[in-house]
Amino acid sequence: MIRILDITFKDLLQLMRDFKTFMFLLLMPILFTFLFGYAFGGFGGNSDSRLPVGYLSQDNHWVTDSLHDLLSESDLISLRENVFLSPADLEQQVANGDLAAAIIVPHGYGRDVLKNRTDLRLIVIADTNSTAWTSVEAELLRITSRLDGAVRTATIIERIDSERMPFHYAFEKTLDAWNDPPIAVTETKSPAVAKVSDSGAALAHTAPGMMLQFAIAGLLTAAQIIVTERKTRTLQRLLTTSTRRIDVALGHFLAIFLLLFTQFTILIVFSQVILKVDYFRVPEATALVAVSAALCISALGLLIGFAAQSEEQAITFSLIPMFVFAGLGGAWVPLEVTGATFRAVGHVSPVAWGMDGFENIVARGLGFESVLLPSAALLGYALLFFSLAVWRLYASEEK
Amino acid sequence: MENLPAIEVLSLHKAFGENRAVQGVSFKVGQGEIFSLLGPNGAGKTTTISMLSCLLRPDDGDARIMGHSIRSDGNGVKSALGVVPQDIALYEDLTAHENLSFWGKMYGLRGSELKKRVDEVLDIIGLRERANERVGKYSGGMKRRVNIGVALLHKPKVIYMDEPTVGIDPQSRRNILDSVVALKDQGMTVLYTTHYMEEAQELSDQIGIMDHGQMIASGTHDELVKLVGGQTRIDLTVNAEPQRILGAWQSVEGVEQASVEDEKISLLVADSNQVLPHLFEAATRQAVRITSVDIREPNLEAVFLHLTGRALRD
Ligand SMILES: Nc1ncnc2c1ncn2[C@@H]1O[C@H](COP(=O)(O)OP(=O)(O)OP(=O)(O)O)[C@@H](O)[C@H]1O
Ligand SMILES: [Mg+2]
């Protein structure tokens, strides 16, 4: 049993001997998280960098309420409502640059939309030469056409099946369908979205993404130790001693785990303290996801180490999870914005579960229960990878 | 226990696909003996050793190491065994001391015993002063010595050394050969592979000659040499047509065979001391000068040549 720890200790000693690599593994993630965080617009934590848009409704219709809901859900604009302000006040604020634009909903707007009449329009006050306006205009167009589309579809459905599908219900359904569009990729591709998106939300996504991304870099380094061990025949020599193969596997596994877990811990503390990504909101949940993710990625590292015949192969093997798992798993782009199909496929990747786990804590504000499923999935993957690695070690009959 | 052979190999077979690397090798090594496997590259020496150390599973046959079967009692085999692999199997980014400590632990040593053995082994391999340098910075000979040292840590009853002197300077080589003899003196059994016949000759109680996966001969050095009739070969060159002197030399008493190849005359003789003066006399009578003499006592090289028709080393 104690030989497991001997092997772990030896591996860590080797890792630390390679000082530059060691520092790379621990410092680069911090640097990158920092840079990306900065690129997403500072570290306000809770600050809202959406464009402020004034909103004044003179209409009292449920369609108008739907419009209001859609606007307030927007990632691009942040509604500023003050019932005490007159249209003139809003105009003044836009002129001062306090607001990017102001929307005034005229009386009867909702009814007209429903009747498919276009004589009444939204009144929008804006400086049409400003760059902010381009973004706001696009967003407004998107939202109004979505509302319009929902109304028309509901009208059609009602005409077809008025008995079973009352208009209200059809309208809600159609609007909901927009919430989960089959393919929403076009939205995410728009650079405007990224540029002005909420920095807090961006960081809450970037920080875990970076963390998992670099864990895979760490995995590669650790897997290299195993590959080198085979290449220098020290692995074979180990197998001529009375040390059991399972102990060899566990020793290496523990070493990779400790490396990755240290990485995670440093990054979590750094993100929490400096970037204000709120990992400590549910500390036990963060710990559980971190341990599960580290176990899972370590097992993958072990598998790569035992499966690769050369350093080059190990790199190739590691690039696959790096791109496929991290890309597919949403470490680069949130899976939310990629549509349902991609999201489902993405969850083949353990990284997706890792992202889910961390984001449930830091981005979605969910509780401890929310990380149980992602953690279980990660542990399942860990077990799968570890078994494959051990099988590979036992099956390998080396000269 | 006394009479139990340390190593008993029973018709081992191993093929890699079409390549039949080891085909029915059998031999026996008594306790405290040095047994050398001598053979050219690709003869199957390492494959045999790998099977005997439970790294490779034989296709057929078995072997017992101190009574433990390599098929059914791998753990028993491994605990009796120290293996010096052909390739230097060390962690280059760790120091010699760290390497020895680590391997000692893998052999099950702990605490003060481990410390003591590491120091003792560092003395044996003569690297105590430089024990805290990284192995990667060592010369080839020093690495080889550490490579051997690792296998000595747990004082195994049986030690395998697979070509431990390949590619090193004469001084390190001497050091290694001496330490092999020292091991034998301490009662260890050594299975040694090499393609240097001088080493096999100097060290071994028994020698097995391998070629193409088969043991083509085995026995003591003297027994093996008898296979070629125990004759000495004398190669001579002269300052005239070889044919002018060949007849005279053929009739000298003690010359059993004579041949000419290129400009060189080769004679097989029973005793070179007795024959040589007559050869010079005959040459003088024919007014031929001998320009070079090369005496080759019977050796394993000749045995190998005799058995396979090929030279041991190309
Ligand atoms: N793992 C392997 N896979 C395939 N073929 C192998 C393997 N190991 C050895 N061989 C082949 O088996 C034969 C015997 O090789 P082996 O290494 O046992 O020879 P050797 O006597 O140790 O030679 P050397 O003096 O060069 O070390 C060779 O033809 C070699 O190519
Ligand atoms: Mg060999």
Side-chain angles (χ1 to χ4, degrees):
Chain A
M1 257 332 240
I2 186 133
R3 291 189 203 180
I4 297 174
L5 296 180
D6 293 331
I7 293 174
T8 304
F9 179 74
K10 188 273 298 170
D11 282 359
L12 292 178
L13 193 64
Q14 279 184 288
L15 274 174
M16 270 180 299
R17 278 292 147 81
D18 196 352
F19 191 71
K20 270 190 242 135
T21 312
F22 193 68
M23 284 289 106
F24 172 82
L25 289 179
L26 297 183
L27 290 183
M28 282 305 268
I30 291 187
L31 196 67
F32 264 76
T33 314
F34 195 78
L35 285 176
F36 268 71
Y38 196 74
F40 280 119
F43 308 115
N46 300 319
S47 89
D48 187 346
S49 68
R50 290 179 294 174
L51 297 168
V53 172
Y55 181 82
L56 180 64
S57 175
Q58 298 163 338
D59 194 21
N60 194 8
H61 190 273
W62 57 268
V63 171
T64 308
D65 292 342
S66 292
L67 172 71
H68 175 261
D69 290 346
L70 287 173
L71 284 169
S72 55
E73 278 166 26
S74 165
D75 284 331
L76 256 171
I77 58 182
S78 160
L79 282 194
R80 299 291 149 88
E81 293 168 78
N82 189 338
V83 285
F84 300 111
L85 294 181
S86 66
D89 294 326
L90 289 174
E91 200 168 332
Q92 184 59 47
Q93 288 197 357
V94 172
N96 291 344
D98 293 335
L99 293 174
I103 301 164
I104 297 165
V105 187
H107 180 72
Y109 175 78
R111 193 196 53 221
D112 274 13
V113 169
L114 207 54
K115 296 205 175 126
N116 199 10
R117 282 179 17 204
T118 48
D119 10 351
L120 269 179
R121 289 167 179 269
L122 287 181
I123 302 161
V124 180
I125 309 163
D127 170 6
T128 49
N129 292 323
S130 71
T131 47
W133 167 243
T134 329
S135 306
V136 174
E137 186 183 32
E139 180 73 348
L140 277 179
L141 275 176
R142 186 181 73 81
I143 289 174
T144 48
S145 60
R146 183 169 155 186
L147 188 73
D148 215 30
V151 169
R152 282 177 205 197
T153 319
T155 319
I156 294 166
I157 294 173
E158 200 210 23
R159 227 172 273 152
I160 296 168
D161 194 358
S162 59
E163 300 233 45
R164 266 178 289 158
M165 189 77 86
F167 179 82
H168 245 87
Y169 182 66
F171 176 76
E172 291 294 344
K173 272 279 162 233
T174 326
L175 207 54
D176 275 356
W178 276 90
N179 270 325
D180 203 6
I183 301 159
V185 184
T186 40
E187 288 174 36
T188 66
K189 288 271 166 63
S190 154
V193 177
K195 231 185 291 163
V196 285
S197 71
D198 180 354
S199 81
L203 263 179
H205 179 78
T206 312
M210 277 295 144
M211 189 151 79
L212 293 168
Q213 190 66 43
F214 272 91
I216 293 178
L219 152 169
L220 174 62
T221 314
Q224 293 286 17
I225 288 192
I226 303 178
V227 174
T228 311
E229 195 160 73
R230 168 182 291 113
K231 227 181 72 178
T232 61
R233 310 224 139 244
T234 37
L235 179 62
Q236 284 78 350
R237 182 169 220 167
L238 263 178
L239 302 181
T240 68
T241 69
S242 44
T243 306
R244 294 177 309 162
R245 290 188 185 207
I246 185 77
D247 289 352
V248 175
L250 283 170
H252 287 316
F253 179 60
L254 189 60
I256 309 178
F257 172 77
L258 287 177
L259 173 74
L260 296 187
F261 191 70
T262 312
Q263 260 189 349
F264 281 178
T265 309
I266 291 175
L267 280 177
I268 286 172
V269 171
F270 172 80
S271 304
Q272 174 78 36
V273 175
I274 311 289
L275 306 182
K276 314 276 184 238
V277 175
D278 204 357
Y279 282 111
F280 292 176
R281 202 174 54 76
V282 199
E284 63 276 20
T286 299
L288 180 65
V289 180
V291 169
S292 316
L295 284 173
C296 175
I297 299 178
S298 311
L300 183 61
L302 193 71
L303 177 60
I304 290 173
F306 284 138
Q309 295 297 332
S310 63
E311 274 101 337
E312 294 74 35
Q313 246 186 35
I315 292 172
T316 317
F317 285 178
S318 304
L319 285 179
I320 296 170
M322 185 122 158
F323 286 105
V324 177
F325 284 3
L328 203 62
W332 295 336
V333 177
L335 279 183
E336 274 86 356
V337 301
T338 55
T341 321
F342 193 86
R343 192 158 56 220
V345 174
H347 277 78
V348 168
S349 157
V351 174
W353 293 104
M355 290 301 296
D356 268 6
F358 284 126
E359 289 187 336
N360 283 351
I361 303 164
V362 297
R364 302 192 189 103
L366 301 176
F368 184 72
E369 304 75 42
S370 73
V371 304
L372 290 179
L373 179 66
S375 301
L378 285 170
L379 292 173
Y381 271 107
L383 195 66
L384 173 72
F385 293 146
F386 186 78
S387 312
L388 284 174
V390 171
W391 168 76
R392 175 70 216 193
L393 176 64
Y394 274 83
S396 71
E397 197 191 43
E398 304 271 346
K399 189 169 92 107
Chain B
M1 222 29 206
E2 284 291 286
N3 307 325
L4 182 77
I7 303 172
E8 190 177 14
V9 182
L10 308 162
S11 191
L12 280 182
H13 285 80
K14 181 76 195 179
F16 299 105
E18 292 289 284
N19 182 354
R20 297 194 298 190
V22 174
Q23 321 177 35
V25 165
S26 302
F27 59 93
K28 217 183 258 188
V29 186
Q31 290 190 32
E33 284 184 0
I34 299 179
F35 187 100
S36 288
L37 281 176
L38 179 67
N41 292 130
K45 303 182 296 292
T46 301
T47 307
T48 305
I49 293 239
S50 299
M51 286 189 280
L52 295 182
S53 38
C54 303
L55 270 182
L56 274 182
R57 209 172 163 70
D59 297 337
D60 196 16
D62 196 358
R64 290 176 203 291
I65 314 300
M66 298 306 290
H68 305 284
S69 159
I70 58 166
R71 280 185 173 276
S72 54
D73 186 10
N75 289 338
V77 171
K78 286 176 184 174
S79 56
L81 204 61
V83 181
V84 180
Q86 177 168 356
D87 310 278
I88 292 165
L90 300 169
Y91 298 105
E92 301 228 324
D93 33 15
L94 303 185
T95 68
H97 195 281
E98 285 162 346
N99 263 287
L100 290 171
S101 301
F102 172 73
W103 288 108
K105 289 176 196 162
M106 292 304 107
Y107 280 119
L109 299 175
R110 301 271 140 210
S112 60
E113 197 200 353
L114 173 68
K115 259 184 94 172
K116 188 173 130 248
R117 278 306 290 163
V118 168
D119 286 341
E120 283 172 8
V121 166
L122 280 170
D123 283 337
I124 295 174
I125 61 177
L127 285 174
R128 194 163 202 165
E129 271 78 61
R130 306 190 56 179
N132 291 322
E133 287 174 39
R134 290 189 198 184
V135 167
K137 301 222 167 99
Y138 279 1
S139 72
M142 290 159 78
K143 286 183 194 171
R144 284 267 162 212
R145 273 138 74 181
V146 181
N147 199 37
I148 294 172
V150 166
L152 307 178
L153 285 161
H154 61 305
K155 292 192 176 166
K157 295 217 169 55
V158 179
I159 182 162
Y160 303 158
M161 296 185 157
D162 196 357
E163 308 208 20
T165 59
V166 164
I168 59 173
D169 57 290
Q171 192 197 335
S172 288
R173 182 181 183 142
R174 194 66 256 156
N175 176 301
I176 288 171
L177 294 181
D178 290 346
S179 59
V180 175
V181 175
L183 293 176
K184 176 194 156 82
D185 293 343
Q186 291 164 25
M188 271 190 206
T189 308
V190 182
L191 176 59
Y192 191 97
T193 83
T194 180
H195 52 239
Y196 298 121
M197 55 139 194
E198 308 86 353
E199 286 184 4
Q201 182 169 345
E202 177 186 338
L203 295 173
S204 325
D205 298 298
Q206 301 270 331
I207 298 164
I209 300 182
M210 279 191 81
D211 190 35
H212 293 309
Q214 284 169 325
M215 187 76 92
I216 54 176
S218 70
T220 64
H221 179 256
D222 289 348
E223 284 167 358
L224 289 171
V225 163
K226 285 218 180 77
L227 290 174
V228 285
Q231 290 155 320
T232 301
R233 190 168 120 182
I234 306 177
D235 293 331
L236 304 109
T237 53
V238 293
N239 71 343
E241 270 294 300
Q243 299 301 339
R244 260 178 65 187
I245 190 71
L246 191 63
W249 280 353
Q250 261 168 336
S251 52
V252 168
E253 200 187 325
V255 174
E256 290 164 12
Q257 204 185 315
S259 60
V260 178
E261 196 179 306
D262 299 332
E263 292 293 282
K264 194 173 71 185
I265 305 167
S266 294
L267 307 175
L268 284 179
V269 305
D271 182 348
S272 56
N273 274 4
Q274 185 229 314
V275 168
L276 270 170
H278 299 298
L279 296 181
F280 281 92
E281 271 167 34
T284 311
R285 274 202 303 277
Q286 304 280 334
V288 168
R289 289 200 74 77
I290 296 175
T291 50
S292 77
V293 184
D294 189 4
I295 305 168
R296 294 173 187 247
E297 287 277 309
N299 60 21
L300 297 168
E301 180 85 51
V303 176
F304 191 81
L305 189 68
H306 173 78
L307 291 171
T308 65
R310 290 180 289 118
L312 187 53
R313 270 172 286 166
D314 338 294

